[in-house]
Amino acid sequence: MPPRLPADLASRAAHDLRRKRLEGFRRETFALPREAAREKARELFRRFPKAAYMTEIESWRELPGDRIEFTMRRLPTAD
C-alpha cells in the first residue's frame, strides 16, 4: 500500500462530507454533564419524534468529569 499523503486524506474527507450532505440528515453534537445530556436527548426526541424524523443518537462517549459527548441525527423535516 503506498504511503498516505495529506492530499489523499483531504480527498477522502471531502468525499465523506459530500456523502453526508447527500444523505440528508442533520447532525448536532453536544458535550454536557451526564444529567444535562440525558435531558437534552429527551428534549430532542420530544421535538423531533423518531417516527417522523428518524431521530437517533448516532454516537456517544464518556468524557472526563462525568461529561457525555453525543451526536444526534435526524431528518430536517417530517414527511
Side-chain angles (χ1 to χ4, degrees):
M1 182 173 193
R4 289 187 173 172
L5 301 174
D8 298 331
L9 296 174
S11 175
R12 190 172 80 211
H15 172 66
D16 290 346
L17 184 59
R18 279 191 303 276
R19 183 180 53 81
K20 283 183 179 179
R21 283 190 185 141
L22 292 174
E23 186 180 71
F25 285 98
R26 286 207 181 151
R27 289 172 173 82
E28 292 182 87
T29 300
F30 304 92
L32 302 166
R34 186 177 301 270
E35 287 305 315
R38 286 180 178 152
E39 185 52 40
K40 182 58 129 175
R42 287 183 191 118
E43 172 196 334
L44 291 170
F45 279 117
R46 280 191 300 270
R47 287 180 55 200
F48 306 105
K50 184 173 183 141
Y53 293 89
M54 297 176 59
T55 304
E56 70 176 33
I57 296 175
E58 186 172 63
S59 63
W60 68 276
R61 67 183 180 136
E62 292 184 49
L63 299 173
D66 201 33
R67 294 173 55 86
I68 304 294
E69 179 182 85
F70 64 102
T71 300
M72 298 289 294
R73 181 181 89 168
R74 67 176 173 82
L75 292 173
T77 61
D79 288 338

